Short mmCIF file of all heavy atoms in Angstrom, two decimals:
data_model
loop_
_atom_site.label_atom_id
_atom_site.label_comp_id
_atom_site.label_asym_id
_atom_site.label_seq_id
_atom_site.Cartn_x
_atom_site.Cartn_y
_atom_site.Cartn_z
N ASP B 61 29.89 21.34 43.48
CA ASP B 61 30.13 22.69 43.00
C ASP B 61 31.11 22.73 41.81
O ASP B 61 32.13 23.42 41.87
CB ASP B 61 30.65 23.55 44.17
CG ASP B 61 30.59 25.05 43.80
OD1 ASP B 61 29.76 25.39 42.95
OD2 ASP B 61 31.39 25.82 44.34
N VAL B 62 30.79 21.98 40.78
CA VAL B 62 31.66 21.96 39.61
C VAL B 62 31.09 22.90 38.55
O VAL B 62 29.90 22.83 38.23
CB VAL B 62 31.77 20.54 39.02
CG1 VAL B 62 32.64 20.55 37.77
CG2 VAL B 62 32.34 19.59 40.05
N SER B 63 31.91 23.78 38.06
CA SER B 63 31.51 24.64 36.94
C SER B 63 32.48 24.40 35.81
O SER B 63 33.69 24.38 36.01
CB SER B 63 31.54 26.11 37.35
OG SER B 63 30.66 26.30 38.43
N ILE B 64 31.94 24.19 34.63
CA ILE B 64 32.80 23.86 33.50
C ILE B 64 32.13 24.32 32.21
O ILE B 64 30.91 24.23 32.08
CB ILE B 64 33.09 22.34 33.48
CG1 ILE B 64 34.08 21.98 32.38
CG2 ILE B 64 31.83 21.53 33.36
CD1 ILE B 64 34.53 20.53 32.47
N ASP B 65 32.93 24.87 31.30
CA ASP B 65 32.41 25.25 29.98
C ASP B 65 33.06 24.36 28.95
O ASP B 65 34.26 24.10 29.01
CB ASP B 65 32.76 26.70 29.65
CG ASP B 65 31.91 27.68 30.45
OD1 ASP B 65 30.93 27.22 31.06
OD2 ASP B 65 32.24 28.88 30.46
N ILE B 66 32.26 23.90 27.99
CA ILE B 66 32.82 23.15 26.87
C ILE B 66 32.64 24.00 25.62
O ILE B 66 31.52 24.39 25.29
CB ILE B 66 32.09 21.80 26.68
CG1 ILE B 66 31.96 21.03 28.00
CG2 ILE B 66 32.78 20.96 25.61
CD1 ILE B 66 33.26 20.59 28.60
N TRP B 67 33.75 24.27 24.94
CA TRP B 67 33.71 25.12 23.75
C TRP B 67 33.64 24.25 22.50
O TRP B 67 34.10 23.11 22.53
CB TRP B 67 34.93 26.02 23.72
CG TRP B 67 34.96 26.95 24.88
CD1 TRP B 67 35.36 26.65 26.15
CD2 TRP B 67 34.51 28.30 24.93
NE1 TRP B 67 35.20 27.73 26.97
CE2 TRP B 67 34.68 28.77 26.24
CE3 TRP B 67 33.98 29.17 23.96
CZ2 TRP B 67 34.33 30.05 26.63
CZ3 TRP B 67 33.64 30.46 24.35
CH2 TRP B 67 33.81 30.90 25.67
N PRO B 68 33.09 24.82 21.42
CA PRO B 68 32.98 24.01 20.19
C PRO B 68 34.35 23.50 19.75
O PRO B 68 35.32 24.25 19.76
CB PRO B 68 32.42 24.99 19.16
CG PRO B 68 31.79 26.08 19.95
CD PRO B 68 32.54 26.17 21.22
N GLY B 69 34.40 22.24 19.41
CA GLY B 69 35.61 21.69 18.82
C GLY B 69 36.74 21.39 19.79
O GLY B 69 37.83 21.03 19.36
N GLU B 70 36.52 21.50 21.07
CA GLU B 70 37.63 21.18 21.99
C GLU B 70 37.39 19.84 22.67
O GLU B 70 36.26 19.39 22.84
CB GLU B 70 37.81 22.28 23.03
CG GLU B 70 36.75 22.28 24.11
CD GLU B 70 37.15 23.13 25.32
OE1 GLU B 70 38.34 23.47 25.43
OE2 GLU B 70 36.28 23.42 26.13
N VAL B 71 38.49 19.22 23.07
CA VAL B 71 38.40 17.95 23.76
C VAL B 71 38.85 18.18 25.21
O VAL B 71 39.96 18.66 25.45
CB VAL B 71 39.30 16.89 23.10
CG1 VAL B 71 39.22 15.57 23.88
CG2 VAL B 71 38.90 16.69 21.65
N VAL B 72 37.96 17.89 26.13
CA VAL B 72 38.25 18.09 27.54
C VAL B 72 38.33 16.73 28.22
O VAL B 72 37.41 15.92 28.10
CB VAL B 72 37.16 18.95 28.22
CG1 VAL B 72 37.46 19.09 29.71
CG2 VAL B 72 37.06 20.30 27.56
N ALA B 73 39.43 16.47 28.90
CA ALA B 73 39.56 15.22 29.63
C ALA B 73 39.28 15.47 31.10
O ALA B 73 39.76 16.45 31.67
CB ALA B 73 40.96 14.65 29.45
N VAL B 74 38.48 14.60 31.69
CA VAL B 74 38.25 14.66 33.13
C VAL B 74 39.00 13.48 33.73
O VAL B 74 38.70 12.33 33.41
CB VAL B 74 36.74 14.57 33.46
CG1 VAL B 74 36.51 14.65 34.95
CG2 VAL B 74 35.97 15.66 32.73
N VAL B 75 40.01 13.77 34.55
CA VAL B 75 40.81 12.68 35.11
C VAL B 75 40.72 12.70 36.63
O VAL B 75 40.31 13.68 37.23
CB VAL B 75 42.29 12.78 34.67
CG1 VAL B 75 42.42 12.70 33.16
CG2 VAL B 75 42.93 14.03 35.21
N GLY B 76 41.15 11.61 37.21
CA GLY B 76 41.11 11.50 38.66
C GLY B 76 41.04 10.04 39.02
O GLY B 76 40.84 9.18 38.17
N GLU B 77 41.24 9.77 40.31
CA GLU B 77 41.23 8.37 40.72
C GLU B 77 39.80 7.84 40.74
O GLU B 77 38.84 8.60 40.64
CB GLU B 77 41.89 8.22 42.10
CG GLU B 77 41.10 8.95 43.18
CD GLU B 77 41.86 9.05 44.48
OE1 GLU B 77 43.02 8.62 44.52
OE2 GLU B 77 41.29 9.58 45.45
N SER B 78 39.70 6.56 40.89
CA SER B 78 38.43 5.88 41.01
C SER B 78 37.65 6.46 42.18
O SER B 78 38.20 6.63 43.26
CB SER B 78 38.80 4.45 41.29
OG SER B 78 37.97 3.60 40.87
N GLY B 79 36.37 6.81 41.96
CA GLY B 79 35.57 7.35 43.04
C GLY B 79 35.73 8.84 43.23
O GLY B 79 35.24 9.41 44.20
N SER B 80 36.41 9.50 42.30
CA SER B 80 36.63 10.94 42.48
C SER B 80 35.47 11.77 41.92
O SER B 80 35.48 12.98 42.01
CB SER B 80 37.94 11.35 41.78
OG SER B 80 37.86 11.04 40.41
N GLY B 81 34.48 11.10 41.33
CA GLY B 81 33.30 11.83 40.85
C GLY B 81 33.33 12.14 39.37
O GLY B 81 32.48 12.89 38.89
N LYS B 82 34.27 11.55 38.63
CA LYS B 82 34.37 11.81 37.20
C LYS B 82 33.09 11.41 36.47
O LYS B 82 32.51 12.18 35.72
CB LYS B 82 35.52 10.99 36.56
CG LYS B 82 36.86 11.13 37.19
CD LYS B 82 37.91 10.35 36.40
CE LYS B 82 37.68 8.86 36.35
NZ LYS B 82 38.25 8.12 37.48
N THR B 83 32.68 10.17 36.70
CA THR B 83 31.52 9.66 35.98
C THR B 83 30.24 10.34 36.43
O THR B 83 29.36 10.62 35.62
CB THR B 83 31.44 8.13 36.15
OG1 THR B 83 32.65 7.57 35.65
CG2 THR B 83 30.28 7.55 35.39
N THR B 84 30.15 10.64 37.72
CA THR B 84 28.98 11.38 38.21
C THR B 84 28.87 12.71 37.50
O THR B 84 27.79 13.10 37.03
CB THR B 84 29.10 11.61 39.73
OG1 THR B 84 29.12 10.35 40.38
CG2 THR B 84 27.92 12.42 40.24
N LEU B 85 30.01 13.39 37.36
CA LEU B 85 30.01 14.68 36.67
C LEU B 85 29.56 14.50 35.22
O LEU B 85 28.72 15.25 34.71
CB LEU B 85 31.40 15.31 36.73
CG LEU B 85 31.58 16.60 35.92
CD1 LEU B 85 30.69 17.70 36.48
CD2 LEU B 85 33.03 17.04 35.90
N LEU B 86 30.13 13.49 34.57
CA LEU B 86 29.78 13.25 33.16
C LEU B 86 28.29 12.99 33.01
O LEU B 86 27.63 13.54 32.13
CB LEU B 86 30.57 12.05 32.62
CG LEU B 86 30.44 11.81 31.12
CD1 LEU B 86 31.27 12.83 30.36
CD2 LEU B 86 30.86 10.41 30.74
N ASN B 87 27.75 12.17 33.91
CA ASN B 87 26.32 11.85 33.83
C ASN B 87 25.47 13.09 34.10
O ASN B 87 24.41 13.27 33.50
CB ASN B 87 25.97 10.73 34.82
CG ASN B 87 26.47 9.39 34.31
OD1 ASN B 87 26.73 9.22 33.13
ND2 ASN B 87 26.64 8.44 35.22
N CYS B 88 25.93 13.93 35.03
CA CYS B 88 25.15 15.13 35.35
C CYS B 88 25.09 16.09 34.16
O CYS B 88 24.04 16.67 33.89
CB CYS B 88 25.76 15.86 36.55
SG CYS B 88 25.33 15.13 38.13
N ILE B 89 26.21 16.27 33.48
CA ILE B 89 26.17 17.24 32.38
C ILE B 89 25.60 16.65 31.10
O ILE B 89 25.30 17.37 30.17
CB ILE B 89 27.56 17.89 32.11
CG1 ILE B 89 28.58 16.85 31.67
CG2 ILE B 89 28.05 18.66 33.32
CD1 ILE B 89 29.91 17.46 31.27
N SER B 90 25.44 15.31 31.07
CA SER B 90 24.87 14.72 29.86
C SER B 90 23.42 14.31 30.07
O SER B 90 22.89 13.49 29.32
CB SER B 90 25.71 13.52 29.42
OG SER B 90 25.71 12.53 30.42
N THR B 91 22.78 14.84 31.07
CA THR B 91 21.36 14.63 31.41
C THR B 91 21.01 13.18 31.73
O THR B 91 19.85 12.81 31.75
CB THR B 91 20.38 15.10 30.30
OG1 THR B 91 20.42 14.17 29.21
CG2 THR B 91 20.72 16.48 29.80
N ARG B 92 22.03 12.38 32.02
CA ARG B 92 21.72 11.01 32.38
C ARG B 92 21.45 10.88 33.87
O ARG B 92 20.91 9.88 34.33
CB ARG B 92 22.89 10.09 31.99
CG ARG B 92 23.07 9.98 30.49
CD ARG B 92 24.44 9.47 30.13
NE ARG B 92 24.76 8.24 30.83
CZ ARG B 92 24.35 7.05 30.45
NH1 ARG B 92 23.64 6.92 29.37
NH2 ARG B 92 24.68 5.98 31.14
N LEU B 93 21.83 11.92 34.61
CA LEU B 93 21.66 11.89 36.06
C LEU B 93 21.32 13.31 36.50
O LEU B 93 22.05 14.25 36.20
CB LEU B 93 22.98 11.44 36.71
CG LEU B 93 22.99 11.25 38.21
CD1 LEU B 93 22.12 10.06 38.59
CD2 LEU B 93 24.42 11.01 38.70
N MET B 94 20.19 13.46 37.17
CA MET B 94 19.74 14.78 37.59
C MET B 94 20.64 15.27 38.72
O MET B 94 20.74 14.64 39.76
CB MET B 94 18.30 14.64 38.08
CG MET B 94 17.69 15.93 38.51
SD MET B 94 16.68 16.57 37.20
CE MET B 94 15.85 17.89 38.05
N PRO B 95 21.32 16.43 38.55
CA PRO B 95 22.15 16.94 39.64
C PRO B 95 21.28 17.44 40.80
O PRO B 95 20.12 17.80 40.59
CB PRO B 95 22.93 18.08 39.00
CG PRO B 95 22.24 18.42 37.74
CD PRO B 95 21.34 17.29 37.37
N THR B 96 21.84 17.42 42.01
CA THR B 96 21.10 17.91 43.17
C THR B 96 20.91 19.42 43.07
O THR B 96 19.83 19.94 43.29
CB THR B 96 21.84 17.55 44.47
OG1 THR B 96 22.26 16.19 44.39
CG2 THR B 96 20.92 17.71 45.68
N THR B 97 22.00 20.12 42.74
CA THR B 97 21.90 21.55 42.50
C THR B 97 22.73 21.90 41.27
O THR B 97 23.53 21.11 40.81
CB THR B 97 22.44 22.37 43.69
OG1 THR B 97 23.80 22.00 43.90
CG2 THR B 97 21.63 22.14 44.95
N GLY B 98 22.55 23.13 40.81
CA GLY B 98 23.34 23.60 39.69
C GLY B 98 22.57 23.55 38.38
O GLY B 98 21.53 22.90 38.29
N THR B 99 23.07 24.25 37.38
CA THR B 99 22.40 24.26 36.09
C THR B 99 23.37 23.84 34.99
O THR B 99 24.58 24.00 35.11
CB THR B 99 21.89 25.67 35.73
OG1 THR B 99 23.00 26.57 35.76
CG2 THR B 99 20.82 26.14 36.70
N VAL B 100 22.81 23.26 33.95
CA VAL B 100 23.59 22.91 32.77
C VAL B 100 22.88 23.54 31.56
O VAL B 100 21.72 23.22 31.29
CB VAL B 100 23.68 21.39 32.58
CG1 VAL B 100 24.59 21.06 31.41
CG2 VAL B 100 24.18 20.70 33.84
N ALA B 101 23.57 24.43 30.88
CA ALA B 101 22.97 25.10 29.72
C ALA B 101 23.67 24.61 28.47
O ALA B 101 24.86 24.30 28.48
CB ALA B 101 23.11 26.61 29.86
N TYR B 102 22.91 24.53 27.37
CA TYR B 102 23.46 24.04 26.12
C TYR B 102 23.04 24.97 24.99
O TYR B 102 21.90 25.42 24.94
CB TYR B 102 22.97 22.62 25.85
CG TYR B 102 23.55 22.02 24.58
CD1 TYR B 102 24.88 21.65 24.54
CD2 TYR B 102 22.76 21.84 23.45
CE1 TYR B 102 25.42 21.11 23.38
CE2 TYR B 102 23.29 21.29 22.29
CZ TYR B 102 24.63 20.93 22.27
OH TYR B 102 25.16 20.41 21.13
N ARG B 103 23.98 25.26 24.10
CA ARG B 103 23.66 26.09 22.95
C ARG B 103 23.17 25.20 21.82
O ARG B 103 23.93 24.43 21.26
CB ARG B 103 24.90 26.88 22.53
CG ARG B 103 24.65 27.88 21.40
CD ARG B 103 25.68 29.00 21.40
NE ARG B 103 27.04 28.50 21.31
CZ ARG B 103 27.63 28.10 20.17
NH1 ARG B 103 26.97 28.17 19.04
NH2 ARG B 103 28.86 27.66 20.18
N MET B 104 21.88 25.33 21.49
CA MET B 104 21.27 24.48 20.48
C MET B 104 21.76 24.88 19.09
O MET B 104 22.38 25.92 18.93
CB MET B 104 19.74 24.59 20.53
CG MET B 104 19.14 24.45 21.90
SD MET B 104 19.23 22.78 22.53
CE MET B 104 17.88 22.02 21.67
N ARG B 105 21.39 24.07 18.11
CA ARG B 105 21.87 24.35 16.75
C ARG B 105 21.36 25.69 16.23
O ARG B 105 21.97 26.31 15.38
CB ARG B 105 21.44 23.24 15.80
CG ARG B 105 22.30 22.02 15.99
CD ARG B 105 22.16 21.02 14.87
NE ARG B 105 22.86 19.79 15.28
CZ ARG B 105 23.35 18.90 14.43
NH1 ARG B 105 23.23 19.09 13.15
NH2 ARG B 105 23.96 17.81 14.88
#
Side-chain angles (χ1 to χ4, degrees):
Chain B
D61 194 25
V62 178
S63 300
I64 185 172
D65 286 348
I66 311 295
W67 297 80
E70 74 165 345
V71 178
V72 178
V74 181
V75 300
E77 63 192 4
S78 210
S80 59
K82 307 184 297 274
T83 301
T84 298
L85 174 64
L86 188 75
N87 286 340
C88 280
I89 62 175
S90 61
T91 74
R92 293 161 52 82
L93 184 68
M94 181 99 170
T96 315
T97 58
T99 57
V100 185
Y102 182 71
R103 185 156 56 80
M104 311 289 281
R105 284 194 189 204

